[in-house]
C-alpha cells in the first residue's frame, strides 16, 4: 500500500504536469466572472486564461498542503 507521501507526490506531479508550463504559468483557469445581461459575455469574454489569481492561488495551496 502506498504511503501518504507517495500519493501526495504523484498528485502534485499530475497537477503540475497538466496545469503548468516550464516557466511556472498556470493554464486552463477560468477567469473570475462578473454579472452580465447577455449570453455573449459568458461565451466569448469569459474564457480560459493563464495565471488568473484563482488558479495561481489554488496551485500554491496545493503545494503547501
Amino acid at each position: 500500500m502506498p504511503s501518504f507521501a507517495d500519493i501526495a507526490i504523484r498528485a502534485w506531479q499530475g497537477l503540475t504536469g497538466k496545469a503548468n508550463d516550464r516557466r511556472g504559468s498556470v493554464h486552463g483557469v477560468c477567469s473570475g466572472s462578473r454579472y452580465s445581461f447577455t449570453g455573449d459575455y459568458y461565451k466569448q469574454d469569459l474564457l480560459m486564461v493563464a495565471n488568473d489569481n484563482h488558479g495561481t492561488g489554488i496551485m500554491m495551496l496545493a503545494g503547501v498542503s
Side-chain angles (χ1 to χ4, degrees):
M1 178 172 214
S3 69
F4 176 78
D6 292 333
I7 295 169
I9 290 169
R10 286 180 53 207
W12 180 251
Q13 289 170 341
L15 183 62
T16 57
K18 298 288 184 185
N20 289 76
D21 61 21
R22 290 180 182 226
R23 296 184 341 181
S25 296
V26 180
H27 296 275
V29 178
C30 180
S31 63
S33 66
R34 287 140 309 267
Y35 184 78
S36 176
F37 291 102
T38 66
D40 289 336
Y41 168 75
Y42 298 101
K43 292 179 187 175
Q44 297 170 1
D45 297 337
L46 191 62
L47 303 174
M48 297 283 184
V49 296
N51 293 328
D52 186 77
N53 292 341
H54 301 96
T56 305
I58 293 300
M59 291 293 291
M60 292 171 60
L61 285 171
V64 298
S65 296

